[in-house]
Amino acid sequence: MTSIGGAEMVDWNLAVATATRLVRPGPEVSRDEARAIVAELRRHAKASEEHVRAYTRMGGPDTHDTPVLVVDRPGWVRANVAGFRAILAPLLEKMQERRSGGPGGAVLGAVGGKVTGVELGMLLSFLSSRVLGQYETFAPATRDLPAGANGGGRLLLVAPNIVHVERELDVNPHDFRLWVTLHEETHRTQFTAVPWLRDHLEGEIQTFLAETDVDPMTFLERIREAAQSLAGGRPEGEDDDGGRSLVELVQTPAQREILGRLTAVMSLLEGHADHVMDGVGPAVVPSVAEIREKFQQRRAQGASRLDQALRKLLGLDAKMRQYRDGERFVRAVVNEVGMDGFNRVWTSPNTLPTKAEIGKPADWVARVHRKAES
């Protein structure tokens, strides 16, 4: 990455160190319990692969070359920093060049990178206790972060967070662990069975970033606001600048169009995973009805004002809508044309639903199926 005097826009190592230092400890478990939990999550991931593929009827390359990594919260942080560093490199290079032309650019580069690294670390420490699992696809493969041999990613299961939530909900831990892995395994199946999906998403993101024309200090200030929210630094009653998220910082007409497409894809992926999780669940997860009810209540109850403000700033409230809207889309399409008919969505980027079609599944059916049959 381009740097000024050897300093990057973001000190990524400091971000990892800060998040690792601030991350909350997970639930108390003995060493033997921890080993048993990790082993069980690995077994569930393997079993989930068969369940998900049978239910979705999605074939394609075997997923065995995409590793399952059962991680703790610092492990999740390291994986995501690696992914962010890879995907944000073009934007940060652009911002770096823009900043280098200003007065004191070298000093800003050295100091700003460290400040931003600390603040990003604070945000990651917050998020690291909330993610149950993730299919990470953008970070380059390393010894500590292996990936699929054919350019695939890796499935991350965050063990302490899974244990924390199962205890909080007071549900059967074995059933809950399988239920979670069904959702995450669906994401792994999406990316391994649809070879073009990763490149398509990366292309959309890079096009979005290429359109970005944001002042570096404005971008860094937005990260600072989020970090201040975590520390309770925002004055009582002060709104977070209209409630815009980090993604909504830059909204040229071209970016709005790209963001609409990205929102539709993410709604599809998340909604599909929720649909599959609930579809497979009754046959293999005995207490699935109780788990789903309690989990939905947990989502609906929200959290403290501080937590809600930060979720809005980071765009996490939009992610909750993606689960809901996407699942409605998938359910409606499957009810209309069956699972094989729904799977036409994976044919090419042109058959992905638009943002408008996510809300009107019949329009997607009319466009993709009736056009194909005419």
Side-chain angles (χ1 to χ4, degrees):
M1 186 183 298
T2 304
S3 61
I4 305 173
E8 295 180 340
M9 283 283 295
V10 179
D11 188 328
W12 298 103
N13 292 333
L14 186 56
V16 171
T18 301
T20 301
R21 185 176 70 254
L22 296 178
V23 70
R24 291 186 241 172
E28 290 187 11
V29 295
S30 68
R31 182 167 297 184
D32 288 342
E33 286 177 311
R35 289 197 186 104
I37 291 166
V38 169
E40 183 175 21
L41 288 172
R42 291 187 181 280
R43 289 196 304 272
H44 284 331
K46 185 174 180 61
S48 294
E49 180 181 346
E50 298 177 6
H51 295 315
V52 168
R53 292 205 162 208
Y55 185 82
T56 63
R57 303 178 192 175
M58 293 176 71
D62 197 356
T63 61
H64 288 310
D65 77 327
T66 56
V68 176
L69 306 179
V70 182
V71 299
D72 57 9
R73 289 167 180 174
W76 179 87
V77 167
R78 289 190 292 272
N80 277 268
V81 165
F84 291 156
R85 187 171 189 170
I87 204 71
L88 290 176
L91 172 63
L92 294 183
E93 286 177 355
K94 181 178 181 179
M95 293 170 65
Q96 188 92 35
E97 291 169 0
R98 183 168 175 174
R99 188 171 66 180
S100 65
V107 174
L108 282 173
V111 176
K114 292 189 179 301
V115 171
T116 308
V118 169
E119 292 170 341
L120 179 59
M122 293 175 66
L123 297 182
L124 288 170
S125 71
F126 169 82
L127 294 172
S128 68
S129 63
R130 284 157 170 76
V131 177
L132 301 182
Q134 173 187 357
Y135 186 77
E136 205 295 312
T137 185
F138 295 118
T142 64
R143 184 181 64 180
D144 296 328
L145 193 64
N150 298 316
R154 71 284 295 168
L155 179 61
L156 306 176
L157 297 172
V158 191
N161 295 350
I162 294 172
V163 173
H164 171 78
V165 174
E166 70 191 26
R167 291 180 179 179
E168 182 182 82
L169 298 181
D170 190 25
V171 294
N172 182 292
H174 309 293
D175 286 0
F176 184 75
R177 293 165 196 172
L178 177 55
W179 189 70
V180 169
T181 58
L182 287 170
H183 181 102
E184 304 308 332
E185 181 59 42
T186 302
H187 287 315
R188 185 162 72 147
T189 297
Q190 290 163 347
F191 281 91
T192 55
V194 186
W196 53 264
L197 184 58
R198 179 194 180 280
D199 289 342
H200 173 71
L201 271 179
E202 184 175 15
E204 290 278 58
I205 292 170
Q206 293 302 342
T207 302
F208 180 91
L209 296 178
E211 290 285 335
T212 299
D213 187 23
V214 61
D215 177 73
M217 296 312 296
T218 302
F219 183 83
L220 299 182
E221 179 61 27
R222 182 62 54 164
I223 295 179
R224 185 167 297 112
E225 287 179 10
Q228 289 173 347
S229 294
L230 269 180
R234 183 182 299 283
E236 183 68 26
E238 181 180 326
D239 194 13
D240 53 330
D241 193 17
R244 292 187 304 164
S245 71
L246 283 169
V247 173
E248 294 169 322
L249 260 178
V250 279
Q251 288 290 289
T252 67
Q255 284 180 313
R256 282 194 291 271
E257 183 177 340
I258 298 166
L259 189 59
R261 294 197 299 268
L262 282 170
T263 299
V265 174
M266 297 312 298
S267 296
L268 170 69
L269 298 180
E270 296 294 355
H272 183 231
D274 260 15
H275 181 81
V276 172
M277 178 171 61
D278 288 342
V280 175
V284 299
V285 182
S287 59
V288 65
E290 177 192 3
I291 291 173
R292 167 53 82 183
E293 181 181 0
K294 289 184 175 181
F295 197 78
Q296 290 288 59
Q297 288 175 354
R298 183 177 183 269
R299 277 182 180 173
Q301 286 172 353
S304 66
R305 179 181 178 276
L306 172 61
D307 190 74
Q308 290 172 345
L310 190 58
R311 283 177 176 274
K312 191 168 191 177
L313 184 61
L314 296 174
L316 299 182
D317 55 340
K319 187 174 179 65
M320 293 301 101
R321 289 195 299 273
Q322 288 169 5
Y323 285 117
R324 182 187 65 242
D325 298 344
E327 198 282 329
R328 287 175 181 168
F329 171 83
V330 176
R331 183 174 68 250
V333 172
V334 171
N335 288 342
E336 178 72 19
V337 295
M339 186 62 74
D340 289 335
F342 166 78
N343 281 339
R344 289 193 188 180
V345 78
W346 312 116
T347 303
S348 75
N350 293 329
T351 56
L352 291 171
T354 65
K355 187 176 180 181
E357 288 170 341
I358 287 289
K360 296 182 178 180
D363 289 355
W364 180 86
V365 172
R367 176 172 68 88
V368 173
H369 280 264
R370 292 173 192 168
K371 182 178 179 180
E373 292 165 1
S374 61

